[in-house]
Amino acid sequence: MKLATLRNGTRDGALVVVGKNNSVYASAAEIAPTMQAALDQWDALEPKLRALAEKLESGQVEGTPVDPSQMMAPLPRAYEWIDGSAYINHIVLVRKARGAEPPETLETDPLVYQGGSGVLLGAHDPIEVPNIEWGADFEAEVGVILGDTPRGVKAADASKYIKLIVILNDVTFRNLIPAELAKSFGFFQSKPATAFAPFAVTPDELGQAWKEGRIHLPLYTYYNGEKFGDPEAGPEMHFSFNDLLQHLCKTRAYTAGTIVGSGTVSNDDRSRGSSCLAEQRMLEKIDTGEFKTPFMKPGDTVKIEMFDSEGNNIFGTIDQKVVDAD
């Protein structure tokens, strides 16, 4: 099942069910007005949403053509947005880029931070950059949306709390990070609004590609019209989403509508490219002694998408342009 949020002039938009080929949608207003309302009563409402999806697919319900530009983020504002860094290759490279060493617990203790969740961008919303000296970078990631999740969840039981899966662009101002982390209090100004592909899907929509809390498919990024990377999202995700949930739930519970990100998808194989500029810059530094690729500037474009084994665009496409902030 695929769900999305249609722009309707409100903060939270209107929940819709989307056809498998992304071409049409049907209003879910009689079941739940918003994505958050559906998540709040997921156990009761999921069967009704699935029934609507089946009617849409079979033609029993007339669909409305999808206009991706009219879709908001699946959750336009979330109770929490928590991002991990589950790909060790990415951690090592970006830390080298800013002259920092990886933590001693790199392989045993996940890295996470809490980002801003009150403003989450749609797939076609612009990336606003107030100052190009801040070093704007894209980061292609996968993520999950949780139902109500209690404290103390273990990895072996975590999958039942994952209700929906998404892909996202976690924009970062790289040049603001070192000073922030030097204060030993984490990211804040260096993390502007995150953008999401238009469609959130239930885990079963991925079929065999969803295994043990990982998506075993490549994540494609195109920068200024050229393929920048297509790393596999599954095999090198050192900490699965199940592992991340166990870590997050050690001391706290989470409400339905919490989003958890994987961190930048990254592979050790250089032929798969990268999911952010910082990685490419570090590889340039290793090979030549200097950074060559600049960070983003107004006019640059970023596309992020993921396809199933039959070539179907699962989540729709993140397609953003960098602009000067007003």
Side-chain angles (χ1 to χ4, degrees):
M1 177 171 63
K2 294 190 181 189
L3 302 176
T5 294
L6 185 68
R7 297 184 190 276
N8 67 354
T10 69
R11 289 177 184 265
D12 300 304
L15 179 66
V16 297
V17 171
V18 180
K20 289 184 178 296
N21 64 3
N22 302 343
S23 64
V24 295
Y25 70 85
S27 171
E30 293 186 3
I31 301 171
T34 65
M35 184 76 78
Q36 184 60 52
L39 290 161
D40 285 341
Q41 301 182 68
W42 187 257
D43 290 344
L45 299 183
E46 181 191 14
K48 298 179 181 180
L49 291 168
R50 285 188 180 275
L52 176 59
E54 290 172 4
K55 290 179 180 179
L56 177 63
E57 207 63 34
S58 66
Q60 296 178 60
V61 170
E62 184 177 356
T64 301
V66 168
D67 177 354
S69 68
Q70 292 306 304
M71 297 295 174
M72 304 172 77
L75 268 178
R77 51 179 174 169
Y79 281 106
E80 297 193 60
W81 155 227
I82 303 162
D83 201 14
S85 192
Y87 296 86
I88 285 179
N89 187 62
H90 173 74
I91 298 170
V92 171
L93 287 176
V94 296
R95 293 227 171 180
K96 281 185 179 179
R98 64 174 188 261
E101 291 295 322
E104 293 181 2
T105 57
L106 177 66
E107 297 186 14
T108 59
D109 197 22
L111 296 171
V112 297
Y113 79 91
Q114 189 156 342
S117 60
V119 178
L120 300 176
L121 302 179
H124 290 256
D125 290 337
I127 300 170
E128 296 187 353
V129 177
N131 187 337
I132 62 170
E133 298 302 319
W134 292 351
D137 195 357
F138 54 85
E139 293 191 55
E141 306 185 15
V142 296
V144 298
I145 301 177
L146 306 181
D148 288 315
T149 306
R151 178 177 54 81
V153 165
K154 301 302 181 185
D157 300 319
S159 61
K160 65 185 178 184
Y161 301 106
I162 295 172
K163 306 306 182 184
L164 296 166
I165 302 172
V166 294
I167 62 171
L168 57 112
N169 180 14
D170 178 39
V171 177
T172 299
F173 293 138
R174 295 288 184 191
N175 293 339
L176 298 185
I177 289 177
E180 288 204 292
L181 295 188
K183 296 185 287 185
S184 300
F185 219 58
F187 300 121
F188 198 84
Q189 292 178 333
S190 52
K191 290 291 186 177
T194 302
F196 290 78
F199 312 131
V201 308
T202 49
D204 62 309
E205 188 75 19
L206 296 174
Q208 293 302 308
W210 176 250
K211 302 180 209 174
E212 299 178 343
R214 297 176 176 87
I215 303 179
H216 289 263
L217 291 169
L219 182 62
Y220 288 81
T221 301
Y222 300 86
Y223 185 46
N224 291 329
E226 298 185 0
K227 189 170 78 170
F228 194 82
D230 63 348
E232 291 284 344
E236 293 183 49
M237 188 181 185
H238 184 75
F239 298 105
S240 70
F241 282 110
N242 297 342
D243 297 326
L244 291 175
L245 288 194
Q246 176 173 297
H247 177 76
L248 294 173
C249 293
K250 179 176 180 178
T251 62
R252 321 167 39 177
Y254 296 89
T255 191
T258 295
I259 306 173
V260 180
S262 66
T264 306
V265 176
S266 181
N267 291 173
D268 184 60
D269 180 359
R270 288 195 185 187
S271 71
R272 303 310 295 261
S274 297
S275 296
C276 67
L277 294 170
E279 281 192 19
Q280 178 163 304
R281 285 166 54 86
M282 190 61 235
L283 293 172
E284 293 167 349
K285 180 75 169 177
I286 291 169
D287 291 344
T288 69
E290 61 183 26
F291 300 121
K292 294 183 177 180
T293 300
F295 287 118
M296 296 191 297
K297 63 185 183 305
D300 288 342
T301 60
V302 180
K303 288 178 61 177
I304 301 168
E305 52 198 2
M306 179 178 277
F307 302 91
D308 65 19
S309 60
E310 297 178 355
N312 300 305
N313 190 337
I314 302 168
F315 302 95
T317 302
I318 296 172
D319 190 357
Q320 296 183 276
K321 186 173 183 177
V322 180
V323 301
D324 279 314
D326 293 334

